[in-house]
Amino acid sequence: MWAVIEPLLPVRERPAGTPGRKPFDDRKALCGILFVLYTGIPWQWLPQELGFGCGMTCWRRLRDWYEVGVWQDLHEVLLAELRRTDRLDLERAVVDSTHLRALRGGPKTGRSPVDRGRPGSKHHLITDANGIPLAATVTGGNRNDVTQLEALVEAIPPIRGKRGKPRRRPKVVQADRGYDHDKYRKILHARGIRTQIARRGTAHGSGLGATRYVVEQTIALLHWFRRLRIRWERRADIHEAFLSLGCALICWRRLQKS
C-alpha cells in the first residue's frame, strides 16, 4: 500500500545545508497513524519502541495530509482500480448511518436522541452494490438521516478506471425507512437516479434487506477500527481523516482479496 500512497504525499523542500534534524520518515509516521487507527490508543501512548516516532508527529502528519487531500486522493485511486478490474458495481448504491458517542464534544456533534442526550456524532455512508465505500460524512448525532441523502450522493467522487467520462452517479439508491421523504426522492429523480426506499408505516418485509445488508456490513468493518467506534477527537477534521483512511483501507482489502 505504501507504493500507492507515496506518490500522493506532498514533497518537502529542504535546501542543502539546512541546520537541525531532518523530518521524520513519512512511512514510519504512516505506520504510527495506522497503529492508532487499529488499536484506538491515545496519541501520547504510542509506544516508542515500535519506531513509529512521537504520537504528536503522527498526529501532525495525519492533519497535514488530510488538509492537502491525500486520504481522499488515495480513496479515489483505489476506487478507480476497483472499477478498472470490474469489482465496482455502480448500478446500485446503498446508504445508511450509524451513531457513535463523542466523549469530548466538539464540532459536528449534537445531543443524541438514542444515547440519553449525550454528545454524539453520526457516520453517514454510501456504498456500491458490493459494499465498497464510495463516500462517508460526519454530522452531529441529532441530524436526521434523510437530510444527508443528497449530500452523500454529491460526495461520491468522479471514479475513473474505464475509458470515457468518470462515473459518479449510481442508477438506483436504496435506503431504509429513515430516508423516506418525497422531497429527497424528487431531488434524486431530477438527477436521473431512481430510488428504492421503504415507506414508513408499512409492514416489514419490503425485501430491501436482501440487498441492503452490504452497507451495514461495511459499517461493521469501519467500526472494526477501534478509533472509529468512539469519537475521541474534538476536532472534526481529525476524525474525518480517520474515517476517510478507514474507507480507503476497506477498498485496499478488496483489491488484495482478488
Side-chain angles (χ1 to χ4, degrees):
M1 189 173 68
W2 173 249
V4 181
I5 294 179
E6 186 178 18
L8 305 176
L9 298 180
V11 179
R12 292 190 185 87
E13 297 294 339
R14 184 180 175 86
T18 303
R21 292 185 300 175
K22 295 181 179 180
F24 191 72
D25 184 66
D26 285 338
R27 186 170 185 175
K28 293 180 180 179
L30 175 64
C31 290
I33 293 170
L34 293 175
F35 189 85
V36 173
L37 174 64
Y38 275 84
T39 63
I41 64 171
W43 291 102
Q44 62 270 23
W45 290 4
L46 185 63
Q48 294 296 303
E49 56 269 24
L50 294 177
F52 299 156
C54 172
M56 287 310 300
T57 299
C58 297
W59 182 90
R60 293 188 192 97
R61 297 291 172 87
L62 177 69
R63 176 201 62 190
D64 296 343
W65 291 344
Y66 175 76
E67 289 177 353
V68 298
V70 170
W71 307 126
Q72 180 62 27
D73 292 343
L74 173 63
H75 191 193
E76 293 182 19
V77 168
L78 296 175
L79 287 175
E81 182 63 19
L82 286 166
R83 187 184 178 206
R84 186 186 69 82
T85 53
D86 295 323
R87 296 183 182 91
L88 199 66
D89 186 357
L90 292 174
E91 297 298 305
R92 177 169 53 88
V94 193
V95 300
D96 205 351
S97 70
T98 182
H99 177 271
L100 65 156
R101 185 174 292 181
L103 294 182
R104 301 181 63 190
K108 296 188 178 181
T109 63
R111 292 174 57 86
S112 173
V114 297
D115 195 17
R116 298 182 180 181
R118 297 186 179 97
S121 295
K122 274 187 177 182
H123 290 164
H124 302 269
L125 182 68
I126 182 168
T127 71
D128 79 330
N130 299 319
I132 296 174
L134 302 176
T137 60
V138 180
T139 66
N142 56 346
R143 293 299 298 274
N144 196 303
D145 291 348
V146 71
T147 63
Q148 302 304 307
L149 181 58
E150 181 184 5
L152 271 177
V153 175
E154 285 296 317
I156 299 176
I159 303 173
R160 297 171 174 82
K162 295 283 188 180
R163 182 176 297 179
K165 292 183 178 181
R167 181 83 178 271
R168 65 179 305 169
R169 289 184 180 177
K171 291 186 176 179
V172 181
V173 170
Q174 291 183 328
D176 61 15
R177 288 170 174 80
Y179 296 86
D180 178 26
H181 200 295
D182 289 337
K183 170 186 173 181
Y184 295 94
R185 284 190 177 91
K186 293 177 181 178
I187 291 175
L188 295 187
H189 293 169
R191 300 179 183 180
I193 302 174
R194 294 187 290 115
T195 57
Q196 293 178 357
I197 303 175
R199 291 284 185 180
R200 292 180 181 177
T202 59
H204 287 277
S206 62
L208 292 177
T211 55
R212 205 183 58 80
Y213 75 94
V214 294
V215 68
E216 298 173 352
Q217 185 182 60
T218 304
I219 288 174
L221 292 176
L222 282 174
H223 286 187
W224 187 82
F225 302 110
R226 293 189 176 183
R227 197 69 179 193
L228 293 177
R229 294 181 190 174
I230 298 175
R231 177 176 165 180
W232 296 97
E233 295 79 22
R234 286 187 57 84
R235 290 182 52 161
D237 58 339
I238 300 298
H239 188 75
E240 289 171 341
F242 274 131
L243 182 60
S244 182
L245 179 56
C247 291
L249 288 172
I250 293 175
C251 294
W252 172 256
R253 289 174 181 173
R254 292 297 184 97
L255 285 172
Q256 295 307 299
K257 285 183 179 180
S258 61

